[in-house]
Amino acid sequence: MSGLGAGAVIVFVEHATGEPAPASLAALAVARGLADALGAPLEAVALGEGAVAAASALGAHGLGVVHVAHDDKGDAGRPFDTPALPGRLLAHLLVTNAPRALIAAATARGTETLAYAAALTNLPLAAACTQVSAADGEDPARALSVTRLRWGGSVLEEARLDGATVLLTVADGAGADGAVPAPPAGAPRIITLADEGGQPDTRVRLVERVASAAGGVSLAEARVVVGGGRGVGGPDAFGLLEELAALLGGTVGVSRVVTGAGWRPHSEQVGQTGTRISPDLYIACGISGAIQHIVGCRGARAILAINTDRDAPIMARATYAVVGDLHAVVPAIIAELRRRGATPGA
Amino acid sequence: MNILVCVKRVPATGGRVTLTGDGLAIDARFLSFTISPHEECAVEEAVRLVEASGGGTTTVLTLGAEAAADQLRDALAVGMTRAIHLVTDGEDWDPMATAAAIVGVVRADAAEGFDHDLVLFGNEAADSGDYQVPIRVAAALDRPWLTGVKGLDVEGTSVRARRDGTRGQEVYHVPLPAVLAVREGLNRPRYPSIPGRLRAKKVAIMATRPERQVGGPTMIRLRVPDEEDAQVHVLGTGAEAAPAVVDLLESLGLVNP
Ligand SMILES: Cc1cc2nc3c(=O)[nH]c(=O)nc-3n(C[C@H](O)[C@H](O)[C@H](O)COP(=O)(O)OP(=O)(O)OC[C@H]3O[C@@H](n4cnc5c(N)ncnc54)[C@H](O)[C@@H]3O)c2cc1C
């Protein structure tokens, strides 16, 4: 046990060579709320090249203790080139320190790392939590209450997480209710995490990185997305949506009906099993607004729906709407933009 | 090559979600059922890989209520060859209990000569989104694993698996036997043919009732998030709405007048 009293709440902090990731800092805020409620110490763990720098940076976030491993560049077992290694290191930390909770951001990496640590230690893991607190009327050393996302966030689940040590990942955008940032603790104590010994598991190895093709606006980061669904009617009419997107300096996104029919590639799909977008404006053309599509575009500042059906579910989610056939409306918008000589905004 | 694919029956909800009175499930009385798109891709990949390898078996497994046999038939209809049903009373099992039951199947199959070179999962179940059953199964079997897989090629006794990383695509070497969690976009699943449907009807589904292990977390209730009621502002009807749309684009600063 780390000290006497309650086991610590430990946060797995991802970092880009020494710079803590924003998602991890958000998870840290939620973890701090839990630690405060339980009267438990808050600690962090950082792995890989730059871990020590990340640990030092965490001092400014009120961390007094940070566990690190594999800080060395070019280390034979570079943690993230073998996906099993980070989870093994965290499993070892779980066994040796018996923390109250191990928390990470619900990123792809945070999730798989905690899932493997949980699997190796046979401990429960609640994924994509938005809230965590002591369970009402239960021993806080044995049970926590969590709220977590189901259906990509269309449905919330309230659940109980039993056990003296539990794992959880924190969903993107989770609020840290009432968590007051602690004063900077100065330089944190850095503890080097021992490997569990034995041969590292390097069966799965990263053998190549393929940089994403440069140029074009990325769907996840586009300021304007022009979306097309079944109402577009076939692959050819997407030329219209591309033209509108180009005039607005944006890009095209589509529904699953469109990718399933092979009209457009899956890389353009918006939704639960596609890409999450957060543009200033999402122009949804011929898209009904199924919940699995909506979870992908909830981050949009505004939605303009163009749909023949005034009662389509998308109308209840949209900020603006044009009721009509997209094959008439979109060309008219393009013509009007050209008539006014409009150029994409800065 | 032998491949096992795990799928989960879920309601195909549309534009709105309604919960049952006790708040423990989605009210599916008027809904059809499906599996996650990730899992559809896993099924498709298994069928293609075994076809290409020139022989072997493709087994589809589900843990769920009696009615989940429909989803097994759907997978058989697109070319899977065996089906295993771990029958439950319809309650949702937590990820630890689910993984333990699946591990039992992999071991029992191996004992009967069906050693699965690959166990494929969808990256996360459509409904519960637990993101851990594949990794728990891999850990229990001490097999290598990878999640988020969007491309894979079998090369002898290993696979080359691609996934999206933080900086572009990452390619991994994964020795077989392995456990992979795949994402939609891996391939474009075929639709079942009529002969496929007929063939699927004739396959005997192997059904057993597994022991449920204690695990976690325990669901207490579901809730639909309160969304502020967006008051939609209708800009107009048909092509005549175009000037109002461009006015809006200007006012949002998305185009310069
Ligand atoms: C587990 C799961 C995951 C899923 N993941 C995703 C996902 O990631 N992304 C996704 O998009 N879907 C996803 N889906 C599918 C989703 O449920 C819907 O089936 C899909 O989003 C519907 O696509 P759509 O809106 O294009 O088609 P439809 O629902 O058929 O809607 C077409 C709309 O176009 C309108 N329309 C028709 N003609 C015109 C016209 N000429 N002009 C203007 N409007 C017109 C109609 O009024 C209608 O509103 C998922 C489903 C499941 C079960």
Side-chain angles (χ1 to χ4, degrees):
Chain A
M1 292 291 273
S2 53
L4 299 168
V9 172
I10 304 184
V11 188
F12 170 52
V13 175
E14 295 176 66
H15 59 94
T17 51
E19 193 65 45
S24 293
L25 294 178
L28 179 62
V30 170
R32 187 190 314 282
L34 178 65
D36 287 352
L38 298 175
L42 180 67
E43 300 177 358
V45 54
L47 307 175
E49 189 188 333
V52 169
S56 310
L58 288 169
H61 297 274
L63 266 298
V65 174
V66 184
H67 306 265
V68 301
H70 291 269
D71 182 65
D72 304 346
K73 191 181 173 132
D75 186 313
R78 285 241 306 252
F80 294 109
D81 290 0
T82 54
L85 186 56
R88 282 198 177 269
L89 290 164
L90 295 191
H92 186 60
L93 180 69
L94 286 167
V95 171
T96 54
N97 284 44
R100 178 69 190 88
L102 176 62
I103 298 182
T107 56
R109 193 140 273 169
T111 302
E112 96 175 358
T113 302
L114 257 60
Y116 194 44
L120 291 170
T121 51
N122 206 29
L123 293 171
L125 161 66
C129 297
T130 57
Q131 276 176 330
V132 51
S133 59
D136 270 349
E138 307 262 359
D139 177 358
R142 303 290 322 171
L144 298 178
S145 283
V146 299
T147 303
R148 53 181 302 272
L149 306 183
R150 288 172 74 97
W151 286 99
S154 309
V155 178
L156 297 175
E157 170 187 346
E158 291 169 13
R160 207 182 64 200
L161 196 52
D162 290 299
T165 297
V166 296
L167 292 84
L168 43 113
T169 66
V170 174
D172 186 24
D177 288 355
V180 185
R189 187 153 68 90
I190 294 174
I191 302 175
T192 302
L193 192 60
D195 270 327
E196 90 266 46
Q199 283 297 310
D201 177 2
T202 56
R203 289 177 293 182
V204 179
R205 303 190 309 273
L206 180 70
V207 288
E208 197 185 335
R209 273 186 208 283
V210 188
S212 12
V217 185
S218 103
L219 181 58
E221 284 156 21
R223 207 175 154 212
V224 178
V225 175
V226 180
R230 189 197 301 275
V232 178
D236 300 340
F238 276 92
L240 275 179
L241 304 197
E242 279 183 335
E243 199 178 340
L244 178 57
L247 281 167
L248 301 174
T251 194
V252 168
V254 303
S255 76
R256 179 158 185 259
V257 165
V258 170
T259 58
W263 298 346
R264 302 290 288 191
H266 180 265
S267 56
E268 293 182 355
Q269 183 174 313
V270 171
Q272 186 177 337
T273 50
T275 300
R276 312 261 158 150
I277 61 171
S278 49
D280 288 342
L281 182 65
Y282 179 45
I283 307 181
C285 310
I287 291 176
S288 64
I291 61 160
Q292 302 87 358
H293 187 81
I294 293 297
V295 290
C297 61
R298 268 206 312 217
R301 278 237 187 114
I303 297 177
L304 163 61
I306 302 177
N307 201 301
T308 42
D309 179 5
R310 175 70 184 79
D311 297 320
I314 187 93
M315 293 297 187
R317 316 281 186 155
T319 338
Y320 309 100
V322 173
V323 180
D325 182 346
L326 70 94
H327 299 96
V329 178
V330 175
I333 297 170
I334 292 170
E336 181 66 14
L337 282 167
R338 292 204 193 288
R339 195 184 64 75
R340 297 194 200 177
T343 54
Chain B
M1 159 167 236
N2 296 321
I3 304 182
L4 176 71
V5 181
C6 301
V7 304
K8 182 176 186 186
R9 172 185 171 91
V10 296
T13 53
R16 276 176 201 88
V17 189
T18 317
L19 302 178
T20 53
D22 61 6
L24 290 177
I26 286 181
D27 182 355
R29 280 175 303 168
F30 309 109
L31 298 177
S32 61
F33 286 82
T34 184
I35 61 173
S36 164
H38 298 325
E39 293 158 11
E40 285 182 21
C41 289
V43 167
E44 176 67 32
E45 198 70 11
V47 172
R48 288 188 196 183
L49 288 175
V50 170
E51 269 168 15
S53 81
T57 57
T58 46
T59 307
V60 58
L61 175 152
T62 197
L63 179 135
E66 296 281 358
D70 293 350
Q71 279 58 51
L72 296 176
R73 299 265 177 226
D74 288 347
L76 292 167
V78 293
M80 303 284 289
T81 53
R82 298 170 75 233
I84 298 176
H85 190 171
L86 298 175
V87 185
T88 68
D89 53 13
E91 244 181 80
D92 217 32
W93 282 29
D94 70 70
M96 296 174 82
T98 304
I102 294 170
V103 167
V105 170
V106 176
R107 294 210 170 111
D109 260 6
E112 289 185 17
F114 296 102
D115 251 316
H116 297 295
D117 304 287
L118 272 176
V119 182
L120 299 181
F121 289 88
N123 199 58
E124 77 280 354
D127 58 347
S128 56
D130 290 308
Y131 292 89
Q132 58 191 274
V133 172
I135 289 182
R136 286 190 189 274
V137 169
L141 298 169
D142 192 23
R143 292 196 182 177
W145 53 267
L146 194 68
T147 66
V149 173
K150 274 190 147 174
L152 70 97
D153 299 297
V154 175
E155 297 177 336
T157 57
S158 66
V159 296
R160 258 175 92 82
R162 289 182 298 284
R163 67 174 179 185
D164 294 334
T166 37
R167 293 166 287 149
Q169 278 217 320
E170 298 171 343
V171 184
Y172 289 86
H173 164 90
V174 185
L176 296 174
V179 176
L180 301 177
V182 308
R183 292 187 55 93
E184 191 182 20
L186 174 66
N187 52 43
R188 197 152 68 79
R190 71 193 75 182
Y191 293 105
S193 61
I194 305 275
R197 289 252 175 240
L198 294 174
R199 197 176 52 239
K201 276 197 185 153
K202 297 195 191 111
V203 178
I205 294 175
M206 293 165 271
T208 53
R209 280 194 174 263
E211 265 320 296
R212 181 171 178 171
Q213 264 200 9
V214 226
T218 316
M219 188 209 292
I220 295 170
R221 76 179 69 79
L222 300 178
R223 179 151 75 71
V224 179
D226 358 286
E227 313 246 314
E228 323 92 75
D229 232 353
Q231 229 1 72
V232 61
H233 178 59
V234 179
L235 300 173
T237 305
E240 291 85 79
V245 171
V246 178
D247 289 347
L248 170 71
L249 295 171
E250 286 177 0
S251 73
L252 294 176
L254 297 173
V255 294
N256 299 316

